[in-house]
Amino acid sequence: MPSFQHLLLKQFLTAAAAPLARRKPSVGAMRLAMEAGSLFQFMPWKVNLESFKLDNRLEAEWLRPRAAHPTRVLLYLHGGGYVLGSLNTHRSLVGSLALRTGLNVLTINYRKAPDHPFPAALDDARRAYRWLLRHGHQPHEIVVAGDSAGGGLALALLLALRDAGEVLPAAGIGLSPWTDLNLPITALRRVAREEGLLLEALQMRTWGPLYAHKTPLTHPLLSPAQADLHGLPPLLIQISTAEVLYDDVVKFTRKARAAGVSVTLQPFEGLVHWWHLFWRVVPEARQALDQVAAFLTEMWAQPAAKPARLLLAERRLPLRRRAA
C-alpha cells in the first residue's frame, strides 16, 4: 500500500489538474513552471557539482559524490516528454542517485522538441556517450540511465549503438521509461484517475508527435518497444502499476527477455508517474533509488563479460575459426 506521503502527493497533483486543464498552458509556460519548481529541489550533501560545455556546445554537469568509484560512471538522461525538463529540474534526483550508487554521474541538457525534433535528443545522447569514451572511460564501466522520456531515450541510445556496431555500455536503467510514443486510449482509461486527469491537463498525448515530427511514432528509435531487442546489455526497469506507461513497459520487458536480454523488472504498487523525483518526501522513491544502487552493485560483482559487440561478432564466425 502506498505511503501516507505519497497519498498527499497524489492529492496535490489531482488538485492541480483541473486548473491546468482550464488554462491549457503552452510548452513555454510549462517549462517555466518546472524551472521555478526546481528552485526548491536542493542537492544532497556530499555531492560536488561541475558545470561545463560538452564538446563546447552541449550544457552538461558532473555530479561527483565524495569517495566515488575512480573509473565507473553513470550517464543520466532526464525526463520530460522530450519537451520539458533540464539539468535544473533533475539535479536533486541525479545527485541522490550519484550519492546512493557511489558513482560520478554525467548528465546533459539534450535538445528538446518542438524546436529540435527527432533525432536531436538521440544525437546528443550519443555525443555524450562517445565523449565519455574519448575521455578514457571504458564501455564496461559506463551505465546509461534515465527517467520517463529520458528512460526511453536511454533505451534508444542502446539500440542506436548496437545497430552502429559500437561497443555497448555495461547496463541500461529505465525509471518509468517511455517505451512506446503511442499512448493508447485503453491505457488512459485503465490507470488511476488522478494520472489520467493530469495527462489530459498537460496535453501529454501531443508531446510524442512533437518529438517525432515527420517520423512515424513506430520508429524503433522513437519507440524502443517496436524494436528488435537482441544484443542489449542487462537492463533494470522500474515502473508503477498505476502509470499509463505500465502496460507498454511490461510488453517491452517480455519482448526483451524473449530476445535473450537480461531484464530486471521492479514494479511498484499504485504510485504516480515521476515518483522518483520526490525522493526527499516519498519513501517509495528512496527505496527505488536504493534498489538501483543494489542492482549496480550486484551487476559489477559478477565476473566480467565480453562487450556485446564482440559477442555478436563471434556468433558470425565459422565454427572452425572460433575453435582455432
Side-chain angles (χ1 to χ4, degrees):
M1 181 177 178
S3 65
F4 173 73
Q5 295 92 325
H6 178 269
L7 177 61
L8 291 178
L9 171 64
K10 189 163 69 170
Q11 290 178 338
F12 170 78
L13 295 175
T14 302
L20 286 172
R22 287 194 300 269
R23 294 170 185 166
K24 297 189 182 303
S26 65
V27 169
M30 287 187 284
R31 286 175 178 170
L32 185 60
M34 281 197 70
E35 291 296 318
S38 69
L39 295 175
F40 303 98
Q41 297 186 39
F42 302 107
M43 279 268 290
W45 293 104
K46 301 181 181 179
V47 178
N48 296 320
L49 175 68
E50 299 176 16
S51 300
F52 69 104
K53 282 287 186 76
L54 192 147
D55 284 345
N56 294 317
R57 61 184 294 177
L58 191 62
E59 290 183 356
E61 291 179 351
W62 275 113
L63 288 90
R64 300 185 184 275
R66 298 176 190 174
H69 192 280
T71 56
R72 294 170 182 165
V73 297
L74 178 68
L75 171 59
Y76 194 89
L77 305 169
H78 70 76
Y82 296 106
V83 300
L84 306 178
S86 70
L87 299 174
N88 296 329
T89 61
H90 282 66
R91 189 176 292 121
S92 176
L93 168 63
V94 178
S96 180
L97 197 54
L99 191 61
R100 292 165 192 274
T101 60
L103 298 177
N104 292 316
V105 182
L106 173 67
T107 181
I108 62 169
N109 192 24
Y110 57 85
R111 290 170 290 172
K112 313 294 188 305
D115 311 275
H116 303 284
F118 176 80
L122 178 58
D123 288 344
D124 289 346
R126 186 159 32 196
R127 177 184 295 276
Y129 179 72
R130 290 171 175 169
W131 183 90
L132 285 172
L133 297 181
R134 291 200 313 272
H135 284 76
H137 296 282
Q138 299 302 311
H140 66 275
E141 293 192 316
I142 301 174
V143 172
V144 177
D147 62 277
S148 192
L153 184 57
L155 297 173
L157 174 60
L158 297 178
L159 293 168
L161 294 173
R162 180 203 65 185
D163 293 346
E166 300 184 45
V167 181
L168 298 178
I173 297 171
L175 310 180
S176 301
W178 196 1
T179 59
D180 196 326
L181 292 195
N182 277 306
L183 288 176
I185 295 296
T186 53
L188 289 172
R189 290 172 178 165
R190 181 194 63 78
V191 298
R193 178 173 178 270
E194 293 83 357
E195 182 163 334
L197 287 172
L198 193 60
L199 286 170
E200 293 177 13
L202 297 177
Q203 304 175 75
M204 290 184 182
R205 284 180 62 83
T206 67
W207 294 1
L210 283 177
Y211 176 54
H213 193 44
K214 297 180 180 180
T215 306
L217 294 179
T218 54
H219 192 291
L221 296 182
L222 284 169
S223 298
Q226 304 295 330
D228 179 350
L229 301 177
H230 75 276
L232 297 183
L235 302 176
L236 169 65
I237 306 291
Q238 294 182 344
I239 190 73
S240 164
T241 58
E243 293 185 74
V244 165
L245 305 178
Y246 177 75
D247 288 343
D248 287 337
V249 164
V250 171
K251 291 176 185 176
F252 171 87
T253 298
R254 290 171 179 167
K255 185 176 181 180
R257 286 172 175 167
V261 179
S262 173
V263 185
T264 300
L265 178 64
Q266 296 178 345
F268 289 73
E269 292 293 328
L271 306 181
V272 298
H273 185 60
W274 259 1
W275 85 88
H276 298 85
L277 278 178
F278 303 95
W279 64 272
R280 285 193 181 275
V281 295
V282 176
E284 292 91 341
R286 295 191 292 274
Q287 176 190 350
L289 298 181
D290 286 340
Q291 289 179 195
V292 171
F295 168 82
L296 293 177
T297 298
E298 182 178 353
M299 181 199 72
W300 269 311
Q302 302 300 317
K306 292 183 180 180
R309 187 178 68 176
L310 299 181
L311 291 175
L312 290 173
E314 286 185 357
R315 290 174 191 164
R316 301 191 194 102
L317 292 175
L319 182 59
R320 185 173 52 191
R321 284 186 58 192
R322 198 184 307 171

